[in-house]
Amino acid sequence: MRFRLNRGVMAMLLLLFLAMALPAEAAGKVQDEDFSCRGVSLGDTEAQLLEKFGMPLFDKDVTRQGVPVKVYTFKKHYEAAVNRKTGKVVEFVIGDDHYTARDGIRFGATSYWIRHTYGQKDRQMIDGEICYVYARNGQPHERLVLTVDAEQGYLTGMRITSLPLTDEEAEQWELDGETDEGPLDWRIAEKEIDTSRLPKDKAVVLKGDES
């Protein structure tokens, strides 16, 4: 027995097919541009950063997860960290409510739209905050960290970084020899020895040394 489907029925079947296919299409993925901010990417030089971002409000030298960095603070709540040893950009922290990333991602974006844009990820706890963490393809140490509200799941913070996210991760990177600077003891990185007061012209003689 033959029958014909009218256009209305065919349209309904097409919409049903598209609805069934949507979850697969909605599971997006990260792209290289997701690891840059205002035209500057992780790994760019300090000079490139200052050229694009302009004059900082101030800067400070700190150690983050065992890595010595210079942190620049710019207008509209932007921070960028530069590795003091390599001179390369290693982190952006974005606090500008009006900043818009790819696909319209900005503060207040829903968890659904985050997963639609960057892909399906389980939430994890970092420094007491709930986050989605996305690694760059081929560069697993470069990550996009999106902080979300614990109850409603909307976006509250954005961070792009190639630094370790935890002390445990920093220690593991050191053990695996995966730091840009070579072996780095993250546990004593903040306790550099000050030799500025030592004599310059004479050999240092320790007390009790009779030689």
Side-chain angles (χ1 to χ4, degrees), residues 107-133:
F107 283 16
T110 64
S111 289
Y112 167 79
W113 199 248
I114 291 171
R115 295 191 299 269
H116 173 89
T117 302
Y118 301 115
Q120 186 71 35
K121 284 285 185 181
D122 292 332
R123 299 180 184 184
Q124 56 183 286
M125 184 78 72
I126 298 177
D127 293 334
E129 297 182 311
I130 305 297
C131 304
Y132 291 107
V133 180

Side-chain angles (χ1 to χ4, degrees), residues 5-75:
L5 296 176
N6 60 38
R7 292 183 179 180
V9 174
M10 292 180 64
M12 290 179 64
L13 291 174
L14 179 59
L15 289 174
L16 179 61
F17 173 79
L18 292 175
M20 294 175 62
L22 182 60
E25 294 297 325
K29 61 180 180 179
V30 293
Q31 300 178 11
D32 287 343
E33 65 183 277
D34 299 325
F35 300 87
S36 64
C37 178
R38 292 172 55 182
V40 183
S41 301
L42 293 176
D44 282 351
T45 65
E46 185 175 22
Q48 289 173 307
L49 169 70
L50 297 178
E51 179 183 358
K52 293 288 187 179
F53 276 64
M55 183 68 66
L57 298 176
F58 58 89
D59 62 76
K60 59 183 177 180
D61 289 331
V62 300
T63 299
R64 289 186 174 172
Q65 304 298 354
V67 180
V69 296
K70 174 171 284 189
V71 177
Y72 289 100
T73 298
F74 299 92
K75 294 179 180 178

Side-chain angles (χ1 to χ4, degrees), residues 105-163:
I105 293 291
R106 57 186 296 176
F107 283 16
T110 64
S111 289
Y112 167 79
W113 199 248
I114 291 171
R115 295 191 299 269
H116 173 89
T117 302
Y118 301 115
Q120 186 71 35
K121 284 285 185 181
D122 292 332
R123 299 180 184 184
Q124 56 183 286
M125 184 78 72
I126 298 177
D127 293 334
E129 297 182 311
I130 305 297
C131 304
Y132 291 107
V133 180
Y134 295 92
R136 186 175 186 176
N137 295 328
Q139 300 290 337
H141 290 173
E142 296 188 10
R143 284 165 295 182
L144 172 66
V145 182
L146 303 176
T147 304
V148 296
D149 179 80
E151 295 183 357
Q152 300 184 31
Y154 58 83
L155 183 64
T156 61
M158 304 177 71
R159 178 182 172 198
I160 305 168
T161 186
S162 59
L163 296 173

Side-chain angles (χ1 to χ4, degrees), residues 159-171:
R159 178 182 172 198
I160 305 168
T161 186
S162 59
L163 296 173
L165 298 181
T166 64
D167 287 346
E168 293 76 16
E169 189 174 85
E171 184 176 19

